[in-house]
Amino acid sequence: MGPMRGALLDGIPESIVIGVSLLEGAGVSLVAVAAVFLSNLPEGLSSAAGMRRAGRSKAYIFGIWGGIALTSGVAALLGYSAFADASPATIAFVTAVAAGAILAMLADTMVPEAFETAHEYAGLITVAGFLAAFTLSRVMGV
């Protein structure tokens, strides 16, 4: 249940930032969506596999993740509507909180689990992920 709670706790700020990115008028940042997807996919797969091993039904697992997706969608709408008139400093603060939530989730749940599974490759895989995000941001011109 740890990764699932973490997905909710870091998913809300991430989604708010996606909603805030709509305020610029250029649509949702493809890089932001790709980064959120790439960071949440292993998190979700890991949590779903853990729930399955714990004997949870497929309906329960899909219900939990559907609820998280719905909550994240509402958070994106909230980010778009609540921060429409926000100052750049406020938007920077919200973005920083979202980044902190992602880092907290990584440090608390994903890194220990990755190290337990991949041992010496966990660091290399992490660096590859950051390099992929950096490359994507450069290719997209962001």
Side-chain angles (χ1 to χ4, degrees):
M1 288 294 254
M4 181 211 47
R5 278 188 293 256
L8 187 59
L9 292 175
D10 78 342
I12 290 172
E14 287 172 351
S15 298
I16 288 172
V17 168
I18 288 173
V20 167
S21 75
L22 285 170
L23 295 173
E24 297 172 358
V28 176
S29 165
L30 185 57
V31 173
V33 172
V36 168
F37 176 78
L38 290 174
S39 70
N40 288 338
L41 183 64
E43 183 180 323
L45 291 174
S46 170
S47 180
M51 285 187 234
R52 255 334 249 163
R53 282 191 302 274
R56 297 291 187 173
S57 70
K58 289 179 184 178
Y60 174 85
I61 295 168
F62 280 109
I64 290 292
W65 287 104
I68 290 172
L70 181 63
T71 301
S72 295
V74 169
L77 179 63
L78 175 69
Y80 178 75
S81 59
F83 295 100
D85 297 322
S87 70
T90 300
I91 291 175
F93 176 78
V94 170
T95 303
V97 168
I102 293 167
L103 289 174
M105 175 60 182
L106 286 171
D108 187 49
T109 305
M110 299 309 292
V111 170
E113 186 173 322
F115 185 77
E116 182 180 308
T117 304
H119 302 291
E120 65 272 0
Y121 296 111
L124 182 61
I125 293 167
T126 301
V127 169
F130 277 103
L131 183 58
F134 173 76
T135 302
L136 184 60
S137 70
R138 293 298 107 202
V139 167
M140 300 302 290
V142 177

